[in-house]
Amino acid sequence: MKMRSTRDKGEMLTVEMQIAERSRKYTGEALTNLHQYIDVEFLHECFQMLNKQSASGVDGERWRDYDRQRAERIPKLLAAFKSGTYQAPNIRRVYIPKGDGKQQRPLGLPTIEDKILQTAVNRVLSPIYEQEFYASSYGFRPGKSQHQALEELFKEASFKGKRYIIDADMKDYFGTISHQWLRTFLDERIKDGVIRKMMDKWLKAGILEEGQVTYPKDGTPQGGTISPLLSNIYLHYVLEMWFKEQIQPLLKGGSFVIRYADDFLMGFSNKEDALRVMKVLPKRLAKYGLTLNPEKTRLVNLDEDQEGEEKTFDFLGFTHYMGNSLKGKRILKRKTSKKKLRISLIRMNNWMRDNRHRSVAEIVKDLNRKLRGYYEYYGITFNSRQINAYYDRVVKLLQKWLNRRGGKKRMSWDKYLLLVEKWVPLLKPKIYHSSLLAKPKTEEPYAGKPLVRVCGGAV
């Protein structure tokens, strides 16, 4: 028997708004009895939010399998969660390609019921921490995006003179988050026993890999819906609160920090400030079990009159560098990084190779969907040349693979151009993100009253 949510979208948001209001009312206090917001209807809503095509966990159960039984199973799941009898199952670990396919990164695959509960707890905790997080944190937050982070970086470097950039790279961040410190940070705002016990079970859950189960002492498994929130909470205390509350008041010039998940930059208008922070940053992170990659972490000087120093850095898939505006002013520009361009073309080439047996119309239809996704991310001010170069390479790759289909007559270049420009046209490049489009939204998530950021003491 299938169940449908009886709440409309507005009613679904009401729970988050109630929690946000409660968080504002008890600013700086640890909240209890939060699990009361999680009921059967709430869990059904969380189930509907899951990716229906996602891979299964250790039990092999898929979304559609659970959907047929959820009317009976969700009430039992809720009872086990609230009574504390629910045991977090092992997490199946797989590896997915990282970059050009030569490297891989681990991905944890929880069971469907684990995903339901993680989504529910995430929905309860997110409105609380949205009161705490700084505007400089952009990853996995409602109303925040990579393009907003890029626009903020553009403004800070172009108009506010912050040209000394610490380009930081952390080693295995998600795998080295200290459980002990994470619990300490959670104590600041969350004292609900049911939720905290459940989170401890997730942290202690075994990792199943190649038939062997291990129990990690640190880290959060990538793939769980609760992991992005936990990683944001950790770096909020370790990095941003420390920098804004303890470091910035001591600096001579202006500065900023911008973070998206575990990728972050720090910028300074004063070189001495940048050197001082560069020296203490590794020590600060080491205190909480985190390590900077010394080979990839560096101080970049964007000013063109400084010879012999790095003048570019990569962030969120773009290479950033100083250039001249149409009015002759020095501004920060960006283009698709060589690494990301190469990776995208490798993936596109492999996809065309594997799908060349299909009809041309089907290939172009799916290809245009992929092109749109690419343009929607990389189609940003100053990057027209690079997305046009990407399009040109895709056009040539498509011709190559269409001409390698067995039993098909080779297509001349002139006939091929008619195909992709007139008969079944490929989607042309387009700028989707200008400076105006990338501005943050004025409406706050969980609105009702303006959100208030609360710092407390720096850790």
Side-chain angles (χ1 to χ4, degrees):
M1 176 181 177
K2 293 186 178 181
M3 293 287 294
R4 292 186 178 182
S5 171
T6 58
R7 297 179 188 167
D8 59 26
K9 186 176 181 180
E11 290 176 313
M12 287 173 66
L13 287 175
T14 301
V15 172
E16 283 90 340
M17 291 171 64
Q18 289 176 358
I19 296 171
E21 178 61 29
R22 183 177 169 189
S23 179
R24 284 188 288 266
K25 182 177 179 181
Y26 298 101
T27 294
E29 298 181 30
L31 302 179
T32 60
N33 201 26
L34 293 168
H35 67 276
Q36 66 173 316
Y37 296 101
I38 300 176
D39 56 21
V40 169
E41 188 71 12
F42 194 79
L43 292 185
H44 277 291
E45 293 164 3
C46 293
F47 174 76
Q48 292 287 9
M49 295 169 68
L50 302 182
N51 179 0
K52 298 176 177 58
Q53 305 302 322
S54 62
S56 60
V58 292
D59 57 2
E61 190 171 45
R62 305 295 293 269
W63 188 94
R64 63 179 178 273
D65 302 323
Y66 196 88
D67 189 35
R68 288 191 286 265
Q69 308 172 36
R70 64 185 171 112
E72 296 80 26
R73 293 180 62 179
I74 281 184
K76 296 178 181 178
L77 175 64
L78 178 67
F81 165 68
K82 293 201 171 184
S83 66
T85 59
Y86 178 83
Q87 296 298 318
N90 295 330
I91 297 172
R92 184 165 72 92
R93 173 173 284 176
V94 297
Y95 289 85
I96 59 176
K98 179 180 180 181
D100 58 6
K102 295 180 181 179
Q103 294 181 314
Q104 294 184 318
R105 69 177 179 89
L107 181 67
L109 298 176
T111 62
I112 292 294
E113 290 198 329
D114 236 19
K115 290 177 183 177
I116 295 172
L117 290 179
Q118 287 192 30
T119 301
V121 172
N122 184 71
R123 284 181 62 189
V124 169
L125 298 189
S126 287
I128 298 170
Y129 282 100
E130 281 301 310
Q131 323 300 313
E132 307 288 328
F133 292 155
Y134 292 89
S136 56
S137 169
Y138 290 89
F140 307 108
R141 294 181 58 193
K144 295 279 192 174
S145 72
Q146 294 102 316
H147 294 103
Q148 291 176 5
L150 293 169
E151 183 65 14
E152 185 63 23
L153 172 62
F154 168 76
K155 292 176 181 177
E156 293 286 350
S158 300
F159 308 135
K160 300 181 182 180
K162 295 163 188 175
R163 307 287 174 79
Y164 298 98
I165 307 294
I166 294 180
D167 179 16
D169 183 86
M170 285 189 287
K171 289 183 177 180
D172 187 24
Y173 168 64
F174 291 96
T176 55
I177 291 175
S178 165
H179 291 176
Q180 179 181 352
W181 278 113
L182 179 58
R183 293 185 184 100
T184 299
F185 298 148
L186 289 169
D187 285 343
E188 295 290 318
R189 291 297 270 146
I190 310 299
K191 286 288 181 70
D192 182 292
V194 173
I195 288 179
R196 289 299 299 272
K197 287 178 182 177
M198 189 68 256
M199 295 178 80
D200 273 344
K201 291 178 181 179
W202 285 327
L203 292 175
K204 295 176 181 178
I207 305 295
L208 176 64
E209 183 178 353
E210 296 182 351
Q212 300 294 321
V213 178
T214 59
Y215 296 90
K217 296 180 180 179
D218 295 307
T220 61
Q222 296 185 61
T225 54
I226 197 68
S227 294
L229 176 62
L230 295 180
S231 68
N232 274 340
I233 292 171
Y234 202 79
L235 281 182
H236 167 74
Y237 287 100
V238 172
L239 182 70
E240 285 144 329
M241 182 177 285
W242 165 74
F243 184 73
K244 291 179 179 291
E245 300 296 320
Q246 295 187 18
I247 299 301
Q248 281 187 321
L250 304 177
L251 302 180
K252 297 178 180 179
S255 62
F256 71 84
V257 59
I258 293 176
R259 180 174 66 83
Y260 190 91
D262 60 328
D263 294 330
F264 69 92
L265 300 170
M266 292 177 170
F268 307 85
S269 59
N270 183 284
K271 185 175 182 178
E272 183 181 344
D273 288 341
L275 291 171
R276 290 172 62 195
V277 174
M278 188 75 170
K279 185 176 180 180
V280 300
L281 180 61
K283 299 176 183 178
R284 171 66 182 183
L285 297 179
K287 177 181 177 181
Y288 298 94
L290 305 177
T291 306
L292 284 176
N293 188 333
E295 297 178 356
K296 296 182 179 180
T297 300
R298 59 205 179 100
L299 177 61
V300 179
N301 184 352
L302 292 172
D303 285 334
E304 67 171 351
D305 58 348
Q306 300 294 323
E307 296 297 332
E309 297 186 31
E310 290 281 358
K311 300 181 181 66
T312 68
F313 62 92
D314 289 355
F315 183 59
L316 297 181
F318 294 88
T319 297
H320 302 265
Y321 61 97
M322 296 303 294
N324 291 326
S325 70
L326 294 177
K327 296 182 179 179
K329 295 183 178 180
R330 298 295 292 169
I331 57 174
L332 187 69
K333 294 188 174 184
R334 56 249 171 159
K335 61 183 179 180
T336 310
S337 72
K338 291 181 180 180
K339 177 182 177 182
K340 294 296 183 181
L341 179 59
R342 183 180 71 255
I343 290 168
S344 297
L345 289 171
I346 289 173
R347 289 175 176 169
M348 185 63 79
N349 179 75
N350 293 342
W351 181 85
M352 289 181 185
R353 178 197 63 202
D354 296 339
N355 288 272
R356 66 185 186 274
H357 62 281
R358 301 166 63 195
S359 71
V360 173
E362 290 177 333
I363 293 173
V364 172
K365 180 180 178 181
D366 285 351
L367 183 54
N368 280 340
R369 191 177 296 117
K370 293 177 179 295
L371 287 172
R372 181 180 297 278
Y374 186 89
Y375 301 151
E376 285 180 350
Y377 187 78
Y378 289 103
I380 189 170
T381 307
F382 309 125
N383 200 36
S384 295
R385 181 177 296 178
Q386 288 294 84
I387 61 173
N388 276 287
Y390 177 76
Y391 171 82
D392 290 341
R393 290 289 295 121
V394 168
V395 168
K396 292 176 181 177
L397 285 172
L398 181 59
Q399 187 211 23
K400 180 185 79 171
W401 287 112
L402 288 181
N403 279 333
R404 292 190 180 183
R405 299 194 295 173
K408 303 290 184 179
K409 185 179 179 180
R410 290 183 64 85
M411 192 181 305
S412 69
W413 180 251
D414 290 339
K415 185 177 180 181
Y416 173 70
L417 287 181
L418 281 175
L419 175 74
V420 298
E421 292 182 358
K422 186 175 181 179
W423 297 337
V424 280
L426 287 177
L427 191 65
K428 294 291 183 68
K430 176 182 175 182
I431 295 295
Y432 281 83
H433 302 277
S434 68
S435 296
L436 292 176
L437 293 177
K439 287 183 178 179
K441 297 178 181 178
T442 56
E443 183 180 353
E444 296 280 6
Y446 320 121
K449 292 182 180 180
L451 295 186
V452 179
R453 182 189 62 73
V454 182
C455 295
V459 177

